[in-house]
Amino acid sequence: LGTSTSSYRVNSLPTNGSQMYVRLWYNTGSWQYVDYQYTAFTGSGGGSPPEMTSPVPDSTLSGASETFTWTENGTAVSKWWLYVGSSKGSSNIANSGSLGTSTPYTVNNLPTNGSQLYVRLWYKTGGLWLFRDYQYTTGQ
């Protein structure tokens, strides 16, 4: 890889929870290495990622209060978390905290000025926290 990279993407990793081993070689005058061990992600059994069902993504919200509803969509989810913010990934408007397996979640005090609203739906599956991002326009 030379010296031009500090990362390397590996595709087609197992999704069965098996042990994986990585050996990172480096050269500081002589070749040396460091070994790492990881546990592979446990896939969701062929499901699709969770998705927001209401309100419809990219829609205009109806007011200062909105109930967000989503579906597992075939993914085994052990916990949910919702961020609502004025920029992608932010939680300056609402941060649900861990919702466990509860859904839906109502957010109050939303802006009503026609601005953009960003929702990040966090979900824990196979021991990992992943997320899906959605965008809305606030009502006026």
Side-chain angles (χ1 to χ4, degrees), residues 87-111:
S87 62
K88 191 173 185 177
S90 70
S91 60
N92 62 310
I93 295 173
N95 181 338
S96 69
S98 179
L99 298 170
T101 56
S102 298
T103 177
Y105 183 74
T106 300
V107 178
N108 297 309
N109 301 315
L110 293 170

Side-chain angles (χ1 to χ4, degrees), residues 34-109:
V34 179
D35 287 331
Y36 299 92
Q37 181 177 350
Y38 298 93
T39 302
F41 172 75
T42 303
S44 61
S48 297
E51 64 182 326
M52 191 68 64
T53 56
S54 178
V56 174
D58 299 314
S59 65
T60 298
L61 304 178
S62 59
S65 180
E66 193 71 52
T67 299
F68 292 89
T69 306
W70 53 89
T71 180
E72 288 184 351
N73 214 20
T75 297
V77 175
S78 61
K79 291 183 182 176
W80 299 102
W81 201 301
L82 196 73
Y83 284 178
V84 180
S86 57
S87 62
K88 191 173 185 177
S90 70
S91 60
N92 62 310
I93 295 173
N95 181 338
S96 69
S98 179
L99 298 170
T101 56
S102 298
T103 177
Y105 183 74
T106 300
V107 178
N108 297 309
N109 301 315

Side-chain angles (χ1 to χ4, degrees), residues 1 5-11:
L1 299 173
T5 184
S6 61
S7 66
Y8 183 77
R9 182 173 183 83
V10 178
N11 296 315

